[in-house]
Amino acid sequence: MLYVRLPVEVQSRYNLRISAARAQYEYAFVLRTQAEQTPDLLLRRRDALAVASTLLDLLPIEDRFLSFPHELDEEIDGDEVVASSTDITQEMIDAAMGDVIADELNMEVPKRTAVRKRMFILSAEKLCEEWVIANARVALLSTGKVPPTEPKEIVDSLIEIKNYDVAFDVCRHCDVSICDVLYAVTREAIMVDADPPEAPPAWVQLNQRRAEKRLRGHWAIVRGLLAAAQRIWPNDSRPLRAITRAFLSHNVPVPCWLDAEYTEKDVNGYLRCLIDYGAVKQGLKVAANCVEEETKKVTSIDSRVWLPISAINDLLDLGMKCKETAVSTTKLFHSFFVTTYQECQF
């Protein structure tokens, strides 16, 4: 008996969730169309979108959408009217005659209005994006200013108040680059190390959602955001470049953990970043390690290895223009590189 009733109960819960999600979204839409957008309206709209999004997440993946029927008045040509039905009506005859007369008199064919039914589909992803924007705008109410509506402007404003977790959400769902967020949070962490406060800064406590669990303090925030970015954009090395730029632009040595990750992910991009900031010594070290590791892979005449030759050449050229210590280091590396290349030729 229970087995027979289960599908009905499941369908009932399904319909209830769909209806509730639709009602919450319609309520949020009404709030958005109000002439005066007060903080209270923004809060209520954010909460309504959150409920609607949560209800859709409870449904099977293929059913996570809302549909809204919509009737649209359109001006269409006579041919489209005929094609919409197989029955010849007086309206079709009048339309056809109107076209003939207009053609004979070299007149423009008059347009006719018809009602077409459309279906507006709101996906769960789009609904989540609306919630993210609404949540970010609520977070900006603390500034006392009217929150912007464009995602890029919202991210910039969130960076100003050091709310990096919410800024990350906007970047993820609204196709905004995460690089500015990572650069800003790394810069703040560097500033904390340069002038340690007696108590942890407020922004550290504010941005604990993605903090690296095995670490503590402000660097847990930086590394947690970087790890999250790498999970979402695994083939993009720009997050690593953004954090590296923050160190180099403040004349702070690149830490070992970042050096290792960037070298493994994109050694060519890493060398280019070091060249851009004139970090010759660090670049020579990275290039030497790269050549050494690739040389170990050569086991026969058929072995193939990859080296960032163009970046290494530019690094050597830059090294020749630096101080005497850098020049001597460059010459040594150049000699080592030539020797290694000759050995690879067998």
Side-chain angles (χ1 to χ4, degrees), residues 226-240:
L226 174 61
Q230 290 178 321
R231 286 192 297 269
I232 298 171
W233 303 284
N235 299 321
D236 193 350
S237 63
R238 286 177 296 178
L240 288 165

Side-chain angles (χ1 to χ4, degrees), residues 297-305 343-346:
K297 300 177 183 178
V298 179
T299 57
S300 69
I301 195 171
D302 296 324
S303 298
R304 294 291 183 269
V305 296
E343 290 177 354
C344 292
Q345 302 303 307
F346 288 96

Side-chain angles (χ1 to χ4, degrees), residues 231-251:
R231 286 192 297 269
I232 298 171
W233 303 284
N235 299 321
D236 193 350
S237 63
R238 286 177 296 178
L240 288 165
R241 179 180 175 85
I243 295 180
T244 304
R245 285 178 50 245
F247 283 101
L248 296 176
S249 62
H250 290 82
N251 295 319

Side-chain angles (χ1 to χ4, degrees), residues 42-194:
L42 288 177
L43 284 167
R44 289 159 61 186
R45 180 170 183 270
R46 190 265 318 261
D47 294 343
L49 290 172
V51 173
S53 181
T54 302
L55 289 170
L56 284 188
D57 288 341
L58 297 176
L59 300 176
I61 296 178
E62 62 274 12
D63 295 331
R64 292 177 184 176
F65 65 90
L66 296 176
S67 59
F68 300 91
H70 175 61
E71 290 188 352
L72 180 66
D73 292 336
E74 290 183 334
E75 289 186 345
I76 59 176
D77 295 326
D79 293 340
E80 294 180 279
V81 175
V82 175
S84 63
S85 176
T86 57
D87 298 329
I88 303 299
T89 63
Q90 185 62 43
E91 181 181 1
M92 295 179 185
I93 297 174
D94 294 341
M97 290 303 298
D99 294 343
V100 171
I101 294 172
D103 183 67
E104 290 180 352
L105 298 179
N106 197 23
M107 296 170 55
E108 183 179 355
V109 178
K111 300 291 184 179
R112 287 166 294 280
T113 301
V115 176
R116 290 187 174 182
K117 292 184 177 180
R118 295 288 187 268
M119 187 69 71
F120 169 56
I121 303 297
L122 179 71
S123 65
E125 292 77 11
K126 189 65 177 178
L127 177 56
C128 183
E129 179 182 325
E130 286 196 41
W131 174 82
V132 166
I133 293 294
N135 184 56
R137 298 189 73 208
V138 169
L140 290 173
L141 291 175
S142 60
T143 63
K145 303 177 182 178
V146 178
T149 57
E150 292 298 321
K152 182 62 172 66
E153 296 178 2
I154 291 175
V155 170
D156 293 340
S157 299
L158 289 168
I159 290 175
E160 290 181 6
I161 64 173
K162 303 177 184 179
N163 195 333
Y164 305 114
D165 273 339
V166 177
F168 190 100
D169 293 335
V170 178
C171 293
R172 176 182 180 180
H173 292 280
C174 302
D175 195 24
V176 178
S177 175
I178 193 64
C179 294
D180 289 344
V181 177
L182 294 175
Y183 180 91
V185 68
T186 306
R187 178 189 59 204
E188 290 300 323
I190 292 173
M191 295 303 179
V192 171
D193 285 348

Side-chain angles (χ1 to χ4, degrees), residues 309-340:
I309 299 296
S310 178
I312 291 176
N313 286 337
D314 292 343
L315 183 64
L316 293 174
D317 292 340
L318 180 62
M320 292 297 183
K321 302 175 183 178
C322 293
K323 297 179 180 180
E324 187 63 28
T325 54
V327 171
S328 59
T329 305
T330 303
K331 290 180 179 178
L332 289 174
F333 176 77
H334 185 267
S335 176
F336 170 74
F337 179 78
V338 171
T339 303
T340 304

Side-chain angles (χ1 to χ4, degrees), residues 23-50 130 134 137-138:
Q24 288 294 323
Y25 184 78
E26 291 175 352
Y27 176 55
F29 179 80
V30 171
L31 293 176
R32 184 171 66 86
T33 57
Q34 298 301 305
E36 183 180 358
Q37 291 292 304
T38 64
D40 180 62
L41 288 182
L42 288 177
L43 284 167
R44 289 159 61 186
R45 180 170 183 270
R46 190 265 318 261
D47 294 343
L49 290 172
E130 286 196 41
R137 298 189 73 208
V138 169

